[in-house]
Amino acid sequence: KAGVTQTPRYLIKTRGQQVTLSCSPISGHRSVSWYQQTPGQGLQFLFEYFSETQRNKGNFPGRFSGRQFSNSRSEMNVSTLELGDSALYLCASNGGTTDTQYFGPGTRLTVL
Amino acid sequence: AQSVTQPDIHITVSEGASLELRCNYSYGATPYLFWYVQSPGQGLQLLLKYFSGDTLVQGIKGFEAEFKRSQSSFNLRKPSVHWSDAAEYFCAVVGTSGTYKYIFGTGTRLKVLA
């Protein structure tokens, strides 16, 4: 089975712009979670989608949003980018509830 | 509230030496437990997991972890460290009921001396 894929791998944006990141889960997995990783804050949970519905949400402002499509692919969007949004954004998929999460390689976002 | 603590932010060991990375969790029942490893700029790779049964679990790359319910711990061990093991290691738990949200520790960065 192919692993979790994330596109793009690297992205450079300027403050105020918006960005969309994409994640394709492992075939058959219906749950996709997103995490933000920074040196200062570590790994922080953004949200989880399961069967096109947001099931869990972390403590991030409304500028961060996501969605999941019927084929389980997910996108996350960040509007009005701030310098502090520079981070590695990781996507993880699993088959359901307490199943194992498998991570993609991440998207490195740099905000200038 | 669920939480995961990795008390050691950095650990340095010599190549060939043994390794133990600590992980303590707080949860009302026995959660599912995981160890992941991350190389710089990469995603997280699953090393091993504990769901139930034998409290000593074997993982990839020669790692093992022991679940100790009485100590709420799930420490990761390796008998002989290789230079390629230098990376960051994360412990994680997920509750077995409720929101099923993964909680990650803050990570332990391992440095291996030649």
Side-chain angles (χ1 to χ4, degrees), chain A residues 100, chain B residues 33-36 45-50 57-60 62-66 74-77:
Chain A
T100 304
Chain B
L33 298 153
F34 305 84
W35 275 100
Y36 288 86
Q45 181 183 21
L46 178 70
L47 282 175
L48 47 77
K49 60 187 176 185
Y50 173 77
V57 293
Q58 302 297 321
I60 62 171
F63 285 92
E64 65 178 27
E66 186 172 12
F74 188 57
N75 293 350
L76 182 71
R77 301 193 295 245

Side-chain angles (χ1 to χ4, degrees), chain A residues 9-10 37 88 90 104-106 108, chain B residues 38-44:
Chain A
R9 291 293 311 278
Y10 303 91
Q37 187 177 31
L88 181 67
L90 293 164
R108 171 72 62 184
Chain B
Q38 185 181 35
S39 297
Q42 301 299 311
L44 276 68

Side-chain angles (χ1 to χ4, degrees), chain A residues 37 45 56 98-101 104, chain B residues 32 36 38 43 49 95 99 102:
Chain A
Q37 187 177 31
F45 172 75
N56 286 304
T98 54
D99 205 354
T100 304
Q101 279 195 344
Chain B
Y32 291 175
Y36 288 86
Q38 185 181 35
K49 60 187 176 185
T99 61
Y102 272 67

